[in-house]
PDB file of all heavy atoms in Angstrom:
ATOM      1  N   LEU A 172    -158.837-169.070   1.086  1.00  0.00           N
ATOM      2  CA  LEU A 172    -158.725-167.663   1.464  1.00  0.00           C
ATOM      3  C   LEU A 172    -158.357-166.797   0.260  1.00  0.00           C
ATOM      4  O   LEU A 172    -158.857-165.673   0.114  1.00  0.00           O
ATOM      5  CB  LEU A 172    -157.695-167.508   2.578  1.00  0.00           C
ATOM      6  CG  LEU A 172    -158.064-168.185   3.914  1.00  0.00           C
ATOM      7  CD1 LEU A 172    -156.903-168.107   4.890  1.00  0.00           C
ATOM      8  CD2 LEU A 172    -159.309-167.560   4.517  1.00  0.00           C
ATOM      9  N   ALA A 173    -157.493-167.315  -0.603  1.00  0.00           N
ATOM     10  CA  ALA A 173    -157.136-166.565  -1.819  1.00  0.00           C
ATOM     11  C   ALA A 173    -158.373-166.336  -2.691  1.00  0.00           C
ATOM     12  O   ALA A 173    -158.529-165.264  -3.298  1.00  0.00           O
ATOM     13  CB  ALA A 173    -156.066-167.323  -2.595  1.00  0.00           C
ATOM     14  N   ARG A 174    -159.252-167.324  -2.739  1.00  0.00           N
ATOM     15  CA  ARG A 174    -160.480-167.169  -3.533  1.00  0.00           C
ATOM     16  C   ARG A 174    -161.376-166.076  -2.968  1.00  0.00           C
ATOM     17  O   ARG A 174    -162.066-165.380  -3.726  1.00  0.00           O
ATOM     18  CB  ARG A 174    -161.238-168.501  -3.588  1.00  0.00           C
ATOM     19  CG  ARG A 174    -160.634-169.526  -4.542  1.00  0.00           C
ATOM     20  CD  ARG A 174    -161.624-170.630  -4.866  1.00  0.00           C
ATOM     21  NE  ARG A 174    -161.980-171.406  -3.672  1.00  0.00           N
ATOM     22  CZ  ARG A 174    -161.325-172.475  -3.254  1.00  0.00           C
ATOM     23  NH1 ARG A 174    -160.268-172.899  -3.947  1.00  0.00           N
ATOM     24  NH2 ARG A 174    -161.714-173.136  -2.193  1.00  0.00           N
ATOM     25  N   TYR A 175    -161.383-165.914  -1.663  1.00  0.00           N
ATOM     26  CA  TYR A 175    -162.212-164.862  -1.073  1.00  0.00           C
ATOM     27  C   TYR A 175    -161.734-163.487  -1.523  1.00  0.00           C
ATOM     28  O   TYR A 175    -162.537-162.590  -1.797  1.00  0.00           O
ATOM     29  CB  TYR A 175    -162.186-164.940   0.452  1.00  0.00           C
ATOM     30  CG  TYR A 175    -162.783-166.211   1.019  1.00  0.00           C
ATOM     31  CD1 TYR A 175    -162.353-166.712   2.242  1.00  0.00           C
ATOM     32  CD2 TYR A 175    -163.768-166.915   0.337  1.00  0.00           C
ATOM     33  CE1 TYR A 175    -162.888-167.871   2.771  1.00  0.00           C
ATOM     34  CE2 TYR A 175    -164.309-168.077   0.853  1.00  0.00           C
ATOM     35  CZ  TYR A 175    -163.866-168.553   2.072  1.00  0.00           C
ATOM     36  OH  TYR A 175    -164.397-169.700   2.598  1.00  0.00           O
ATOM     37  N   PHE A 176    -160.411-163.284  -1.579  1.00  0.00           N
ATOM     38  CA  PHE A 176    -159.890-161.989  -2.003  1.00  0.00           C
ATOM     39  C   PHE A 176    -160.172-161.726  -3.483  1.00  0.00           C
ATOM     40  O   PHE A 176    -160.419-160.577  -3.879  1.00  0.00           O
ATOM     41  CB  PHE A 176    -158.392-161.908  -1.725  1.00  0.00           C
ATOM     42  CG  PHE A 176    -158.059-161.616  -0.293  1.00  0.00           C
ATOM     43  CD1 PHE A 176    -157.837-162.640   0.612  1.00  0.00           C
ATOM     44  CD2 PHE A 176    -157.987-160.311   0.167  1.00  0.00           C
ATOM     45  CE1 PHE A 176    -157.536-162.377   1.942  1.00  0.00           C
ATOM     46  CE2 PHE A 176    -157.692-160.028   1.496  1.00  0.00           C
ATOM     47  CZ  PHE A 176    -157.468-161.063   2.382  1.00  0.00           C
ATOM     48  N   SER A 177    -160.143-162.774  -4.298  1.00  0.00           N
ATOM     49  CA  SER A 177    -160.376-162.596  -5.734  1.00  0.00           C
ATOM     50  C   SER A 177    -161.853-162.695  -6.114  1.00  0.00           C
ATOM     51  O   SER A 177    -162.213-162.464  -7.271  1.00  0.00           O
ATOM     52  CB  SER A 177    -159.578-163.650  -6.518  1.00  0.00           C
ATOM     53  OG  SER A 177    -160.001-164.969  -6.180  1.00  0.00           O
ATOM     54  N   ASP A 178    -162.703-163.023  -5.165  1.00  0.00           N
ATOM     55  CA  ASP A 178    -164.137-163.127  -5.413  1.00  0.00           C
ATOM     56  C   ASP A 178    -164.685-161.777  -5.894  1.00  0.00           C
ATOM     57  O   ASP A 178    -164.170-160.717  -5.517  1.00  0.00           O
ATOM     58  CB  ASP A 178    -164.833-163.543  -4.114  1.00  0.00           C
ATOM     59  CG  ASP A 178    -166.310-163.839  -4.298  1.00  0.00           C
ATOM     60  OD1 ASP A 178    -167.128-162.898  -4.232  1.00  0.00           O
ATOM     61  OD2 ASP A 178    -166.649-165.026  -4.501  1.00  0.00           O
ATOM     62  N   PRO A 179    -165.732-161.774  -6.744  1.00  0.00           N
ATOM     63  CA  PRO A 179    -166.314-160.494  -7.187  1.00  0.00           C
ATOM     64  C   PRO A 179    -166.750-159.603  -6.027  1.00  0.00           C
ATOM     65  O   PRO A 179    -166.785-158.375  -6.171  1.00  0.00           O
ATOM     66  CB  PRO A 179    -167.518-160.935  -8.028  1.00  0.00           C
ATOM     67  CG  PRO A 179    -167.142-162.295  -8.539  1.00  0.00           C
ATOM     68  CD  PRO A 179    -166.334-162.931  -7.443  1.00  0.00           C
ATOM     69  N   ASN A 180    -167.090-160.194  -4.901  1.00  0.00           N
ATOM     70  CA  ASN A 180    -167.472-159.413  -3.725  1.00  0.00           C
ATOM     71  C   ASN A 180    -166.301-159.154  -2.782  1.00  0.00           C
ATOM     72  O   ASN A 180    -166.487-158.544  -1.724  1.00  0.00           O
ATOM     73  CB  ASN A 180    -168.585-160.124  -2.956  1.00  0.00           C
ATOM     74  CG  ASN A 180    -169.879-160.192  -3.733  1.00  0.00           C
ATOM     75  OD1 ASN A 180    -170.299-159.197  -4.323  1.00  0.00           O
ATOM     76  ND2 ASN A 180    -170.505-161.356  -3.753  1.00  0.00           N
ATOM     77  N   GLY A 181    -165.123-159.633  -3.157  1.00  0.00           N
ATOM     78  CA  GLY A 181    -163.950-159.457  -2.316  1.00  0.00           C
ATOM     79  C   GLY A 181    -163.218-158.158  -2.603  1.00  0.00           C
ATOM     80  O   GLY A 181    -163.555-157.408  -3.525  1.00  0.00           O
ATOM     81  N   SER A 182    -162.160-157.921  -1.824  1.00  0.00           N
ATOM     82  CA  SER A 182    -161.433-156.651  -1.903  1.00  0.00           C
ATOM     83  C   SER A 182    -160.363-156.630  -2.979  1.00  0.00           C
ATOM     84  O   SER A 182    -159.799-155.578  -3.274  1.00  0.00           O
ATOM     85  CB  SER A 182    -160.768-156.367  -0.552  1.00  0.00           C
ATOM     86  OG  SER A 182    -159.728-157.315  -0.307  1.00  0.00           O
ATOM     87  N   GLY A 183    -160.053-157.792  -3.551  1.00  0.00           N
ATOM     88  CA  GLY A 183    -158.897-157.875  -4.431  1.00  0.00           C
ATOM     89  C   GLY A 183    -157.643-158.156  -3.622  1.00  0.00           C
ATOM     90  O   GLY A 183    -157.635-158.050  -2.393  1.00  0.00           O
ATOM     91  N   THR A 184    -156.574-158.507  -4.303  1.00  0.00           N
ATOM     92  CA  THR A 184    -155.332-158.867  -3.632  1.00  0.00           C
ATOM     93  C   THR A 184    -154.676-157.647  -2.997  1.00  0.00           C
ATOM     94  O   THR A 184    -154.503-156.624  -3.656  1.00  0.00           O
ATOM     95  CB  THR A 184    -154.349-159.500  -4.629  1.00  0.00           C
ATOM     96  OG1 THR A 184    -154.969-160.624  -5.241  1.00  0.00           O
ATOM     97  CG2 THR A 184    -153.075-159.948  -3.926  1.00  0.00           C
ATOM     98  N   PRO A 185    -154.307-157.718  -1.719  1.00  0.00           N
ATOM     99  CA  PRO A 185    -153.621-156.583  -1.077  1.00  0.00           C
ATOM    100  C   PRO A 185    -152.316-156.257  -1.780  1.00  0.00           C
ATOM    101  O   PRO A 185    -151.622-157.140  -2.294  1.00  0.00           O
ATOM    102  CB  PRO A 185    -153.381-157.074   0.357  1.00  0.00           C
ATOM    103  CG  PRO A 185    -154.394-158.151   0.563  1.00  0.00           C
ATOM    104  CD  PRO A 185    -154.571-158.811  -0.774  1.00  0.00           C
ATOM    105  N   ASN A 186    -151.982-154.983  -1.808  1.00  0.00           N
ATOM    106  CA  ASN A 186    -150.767-154.521  -2.468  1.00  0.00           C
ATOM    107  C   ASN A 186    -149.679-154.335  -1.426  1.00  0.00           C
ATOM    108  O   ASN A 186    -149.797-153.520  -0.525  1.00  0.00           O
ATOM    109  CB  ASN A 186    -151.050-153.196  -3.191  1.00  0.00           C
ATOM    110  CG  ASN A 186    -149.936-152.807  -4.128  1.00  0.00           C
ATOM    111  OD1 ASN A 186    -148.762-153.102  -3.873  1.00  0.00           O
ATOM    112  ND2 ASN A 186    -150.290-152.138  -5.208  1.00  0.00           N
ATOM    113  N   GLU A 187    -148.607-155.099  -1.549  1.00  0.00           N
ATOM    114  CA  GLU A 187    -147.531-155.007  -0.555  1.00  0.00           C
ATOM    115  C   GLU A 187    -146.317-154.264  -1.078  1.00  0.00           C
ATOM    116  O   GLU A 187    -145.295-154.179  -0.397  1.00  0.00           O
ATOM    117  CB  GLU A 187    -147.113-156.402  -0.100  1.00  0.00           C
ATOM    118  CG  GLU A 187    -146.621-157.318  -1.199  1.00  0.00           C
ATOM    119  CD  GLU A 187    -146.263-158.698  -0.661  1.00  0.00           C
ATOM    120  OE1 GLU A 187    -145.664-158.750   0.418  1.00  0.00           O
ATOM    121  OE2 GLU A 187    -146.601-159.707  -1.311  1.00  0.00           O
ATOM    122  N   HIS A 188    -146.374-153.699  -2.281  1.00  0.00           N
ATOM    123  CA  HIS A 188    -145.192-153.068  -2.874  1.00  0.00           C
ATOM    124  C   HIS A 188    -145.241-151.541  -2.809  1.00  0.00           C
ATOM    125  O   HIS A 188    -144.221-150.892  -2.622  1.00  0.00           O
ATOM    126  CB  HIS A 188    -145.026-153.524  -4.322  1.00  0.00           C
ATOM    127  CG  HIS A 188    -144.841-155.009  -4.450  1.00  0.00           C
ATOM    128  ND1 HIS A 188    -143.761-155.672  -3.911  1.00  0.00           N
ATOM    129  CD2 HIS A 188    -145.629-155.967  -5.032  1.00  0.00           C
ATOM    130  CE1 HIS A 188    -143.875-156.979  -4.165  1.00  0.00           C
ATOM    131  NE2 HIS A 188    -144.984-157.172  -4.837  1.00  0.00           N
ATOM    132  N   GLU A 189    -146.415-150.957  -2.977  1.00  0.00           N
ATOM    133  CA  GLU A 189    -146.493-149.505  -2.974  1.00  0.00           C
ATOM    134  C   GLU A 189    -146.638-148.990  -1.542  1.00  0.00           C
ATOM    135  O   GLU A 189    -147.250-149.634  -0.697  1.00  0.00           O
ATOM    136  CB  GLU A 189    -147.689-149.044  -3.814  1.00  0.00           C
ATOM    137  CG  GLU A 189    -147.560-149.393  -5.296  1.00  0.00           C
ATOM    138  CD  GLU A 189    -148.730-148.875  -6.086  1.00  0.00           C
ATOM    139  OE1 GLU A 189    -149.531-148.100  -5.512  1.00  0.00           O
ATOM    140  OE2 GLU A 189    -148.834-149.216  -7.269  1.00  0.00           O
ATOM    141  N   PRO A 190    -146.064-147.825  -1.232  1.00  0.00           N
ATOM    142  CA  PRO A 190    -146.205-147.269   0.122  1.00  0.00           C
ATOM    143  C   PRO A 190    -147.648-146.863   0.396  1.00  0.00           C
ATOM    144  O   PRO A 190    -148.362-146.398  -0.481  1.00  0.00           O
ATOM    145  CB  PRO A 190    -145.278-146.051   0.105  1.00  0.00           C
ATOM    146  CG  PRO A 190    -145.174-145.672  -1.336  1.00  0.00           C
ATOM    147  CD  PRO A 190    -145.269-146.952  -2.120  1.00  0.00           C
ATOM    148  N   HIS A 191    -148.063-147.056   1.632  1.00  0.00           N
ATOM    149  CA  HIS A 191    -149.429-146.718   2.015  1.00  0.00           C
ATOM    150  C   HIS A 191    -149.392-145.916   3.310  1.00  0.00           C
ATOM    151  O   HIS A 191    -148.470-146.029   4.110  1.00  0.00           O
ATOM    152  CB  HIS A 191    -150.263-147.990   2.231  1.00  0.00           C
ATOM    153  CG  HIS A 191    -150.455-148.801   0.989  1.00  0.00           C
ATOM    154  ND1 HIS A 191    -151.451-148.562   0.085  1.00  0.00           N
ATOM    155  CD2 HIS A 191    -149.751-149.855   0.505  1.00  0.00           C
ATOM    156  CE1 HIS A 191    -151.375-149.431  -0.905  1.00  0.00           C
ATOM    157  NE2 HIS A 191    -150.351-150.231  -0.674  1.00  0.00           N
ATOM    158  N   HIS A 192    -150.438-145.122   3.493  1.00  0.00           N
ATOM    159  CA  HIS A 192    -150.581-144.402   4.755  1.00  0.00           C
ATOM    160  C   HIS A 192    -150.840-145.411   5.870  1.00  0.00           C
ATOM    161  O   HIS A 192    -151.721-146.248   5.752  1.00  0.00           O
ATOM    162  CB  HIS A 192    -151.741-143.406   4.664  1.00  0.00           C
ATOM    163  CG  HIS A 192    -152.042-142.741   5.971  1.00  0.00           C
ATOM    164  ND1 HIS A 192    -151.188-141.824   6.550  1.00  0.00           N
ATOM    165  CD2 HIS A 192    -153.086-142.889   6.826  1.00  0.00           C
ATOM    166  CE1 HIS A 192    -151.708-141.429   7.691  1.00  0.00           C
ATOM    167  NE2 HIS A 192    -152.860-142.057   7.887  1.00  0.00           N
ATOM    168  N   VAL A 193    -150.052-145.339   6.924  1.00  0.00           N
ATOM    169  CA  VAL A 193    -150.239-146.260   8.044  1.00  0.00           C
ATOM    170  C   VAL A 193    -150.867-145.501   9.215  1.00  0.00           C
ATOM    171  O   VAL A 193    -151.088-144.300   9.144  1.00  0.00           O
ATOM    172  CB  VAL A 193    -148.906-146.903   8.471  1.00  0.00           C
ATOM    173  CG1 VAL A 193    -148.338-147.757   7.347  1.00  0.00           C
ATOM    174  CG2 VAL A 193    -147.900-145.842   8.916  1.00  0.00           C
ATOM    175  N   GLY A 194    -151.132-146.183  10.270  1.00  0.00           N
ATOM    176  CA  GLY A 194    -151.740-145.563  11.433  1.00  0.00           C
ATOM    177  C   GLY A 194    -153.142-146.066  11.700  1.00  0.00           C
ATOM    178  O   GLY A 194    -153.853-145.501  12.534  1.00  0.00           O
ATOM    179  N   LEU A 195    -153.563-147.132  11.017  1.00  0.00           N
ATOM    180  CA  LEU A 195    -154.874-147.722  11.261  1.00  0.00           C
ATOM    181  C   LEU A 195    -154.970-148.179  12.715  1.00  0.00           C
ATOM    182  O   LEU A 195    -154.115-148.887  13.214  1.00  0.00           O
ATOM    183  CB  LEU A 195    -155.082-148.915  10.320  1.00  0.00           C
ATOM    184  CG  LEU A 195    -156.422-149.624  10.404  1.00  0.00           C
ATOM    185  CD1 LEU A 195    -157.535-148.763   9.829  1.00  0.00           C
ATOM    186  CD2 LEU A 195    -156.354-150.960   9.668  1.00  0.00           C
ATOM    187  N   ARG A 196    -156.035-147.793  13.412  1.00  0.00           N
ATOM    188  CA  ARG A 196    -156.180-148.097  14.833  1.00  0.00           C
ATOM    189  C   ARG A 196    -156.965-149.377  15.075  1.00  0.00           C
ATOM    190  O   ARG A 196    -156.759-150.061  16.072  1.00  0.00           O
ATOM    191  CB  ARG A 196    -156.875-146.928  15.538  1.00  0.00           C
ATOM    192  CG  ARG A 196    -156.049-145.669  15.560  1.00  0.00           C
ATOM    193  CD  ARG A 196    -154.969-145.746  16.613  1.00  0.00           C
ATOM    194  NE  ARG A 196    -155.561-145.758  17.956  1.00  0.00           N
ATOM    195  CZ  ARG A 196    -155.120-146.519  18.952  1.00  0.00           C
ATOM    196  NH1 ARG A 196    -154.129-147.352  18.776  1.00  0.00           N
ATOM    197  NH2 ARG A 196    -155.688-146.462  20.135  1.00  0.00           N
ATOM    198  N   GLY A 197    -157.918-149.675  14.220  1.00  0.00           N
ATOM    199  CA  GLY A 197    -158.729-150.862  14.458  1.00  0.00           C
ATOM    200  C   GLY A 197    -159.689-151.113  13.318  1.00  0.00           C
ATOM    201  O   GLY A 197    -159.863-150.255  12.434  1.00  0.00           O
ATOM    202  N   ILE A 198    -160.280-152.271  13.311  1.00  0.00           N
ATOM    203  CA  ILE A 198    -161.271-152.619  12.294  1.00  0.00           C
ATOM    204  C   ILE A 198    -162.476-153.256  12.975  1.00  0.00           C
ATOM    205  O   ILE A 198    -162.376-153.811  14.077  1.00  0.00           O
ATOM    206  CB  ILE A 198    -160.704-153.608  11.244  1.00  0.00           C
ATOM    207  CG1 ILE A 198    -160.300-154.931  11.917  1.00  0.00           C
ATOM    208  CG2 ILE A 198    -159.556-152.999  10.464  1.00  0.00           C
ATOM    209  CD1 ILE A 198    -159.984-156.046  10.951  1.00  0.00           C
ATOM    210  N   PHE A 199    -163.618-153.141  12.322  1.00  0.00           N
ATOM    211  CA  PHE A 199    -164.781-153.950  12.653  1.00  0.00           C
ATOM    212  C   PHE A 199    -164.889-155.026  11.581  1.00  0.00           C
ATOM    213  O   PHE A 199    -164.837-154.721  10.385  1.00  0.00           O
ATOM    214  CB  PHE A 199    -166.056-153.105  12.662  1.00  0.00           C
ATOM    215  CG  PHE A 199    -166.173-152.193  13.841  1.00  0.00           C
ATOM    216  CD1 PHE A 199    -165.679-150.892  13.783  1.00  0.00           C
ATOM    217  CD2 PHE A 199    -166.778-152.628  15.009  1.00  0.00           C
ATOM    218  CE1 PHE A 199    -165.787-150.038  14.867  1.00  0.00           C
ATOM    219  CE2 PHE A 199    -166.891-151.784  16.104  1.00  0.00           C
ATOM    220  CZ  PHE A 199    -166.393-150.489  16.036  1.00  0.00           C
ATOM    221  N   CYS A 200    -165.051-156.267  12.012  1.00  0.00           N
ATOM    222  CA  CYS A 200    -165.068-157.373  11.056  1.00  0.00           C
ATOM    223  C   CYS A 200    -166.123-158.383  11.493  1.00  0.00           C
ATOM    224  O   CYS A 200    -166.327-158.590  12.692  1.00  0.00           O
ATOM    225  CB  CYS A 200    -163.689-158.035  11.011  1.00  0.00           C
ATOM    226  SG  CYS A 200    -163.528-159.281   9.723  1.00  0.00           S
ATOM    227  N   PRO A 201    -166.801-159.028  10.552  1.00  0.00           N
ATOM    228  CA  PRO A 201    -167.775-160.049  10.941  1.00  0.00           C
ATOM    229  C   PRO A 201    -167.086-161.283  11.501  1.00  0.00           C
ATOM    230  O   PRO A 201    -165.876-161.452  11.378  1.00  0.00           O
ATOM    231  CB  PRO A 201    -168.481-160.380   9.620  1.00  0.00           C
ATOM    232  CG  PRO A 201    -167.435-160.115   8.580  1.00  0.00           C
ATOM    233  CD  PRO A 201    -166.668-158.922   9.095  1.00  0.00           C
ATOM    234  N   HIS A 202    -167.870-162.140  12.137  1.00  0.00           N
ATOM    235  CA  HIS A 202    -167.356-163.470  12.462  1.00  0.00           C
ATOM    236  C   HIS A 202    -168.294-164.531  11.899  1.00  0.00           C
ATOM    237  O   HIS A 202    -168.421-165.619  12.445  1.00  0.00           O
ATOM    238  CB  HIS A 202    -167.146-163.637  13.975  1.00  0.00           C
ATOM    239  CG  HIS A 202    -168.389-163.467  14.793  1.00  0.00           C
ATOM    240  ND1 HIS A 202    -168.536-162.434  15.676  1.00  0.00           N
ATOM    241  CD2 HIS A 202    -169.521-164.186  14.872  1.00  0.00           C
ATOM    242  CE1 HIS A 202    -169.718-162.526  16.268  1.00  0.00           C
ATOM    243  NE2 HIS A 202    -170.333-163.586  15.798  1.00  0.00           N
TER     244      HIS A 202
END
Side-chain angles (χ1 to χ4, degrees):
L172 295 173
R174 284 197 296 271
Y175 296 152
F176 281 92
S177 62
D178 187 274
N180 294 315
S182 68
T184 303
N186 192 328
E187 59 182 319
H188 299 297
E189 295 182 9
H191 295 275
H192 174 70
V193 296
L195 182 71
R196 294 282 293 140
I198 62 169
F199 287 91
C200 187
H202 60 245

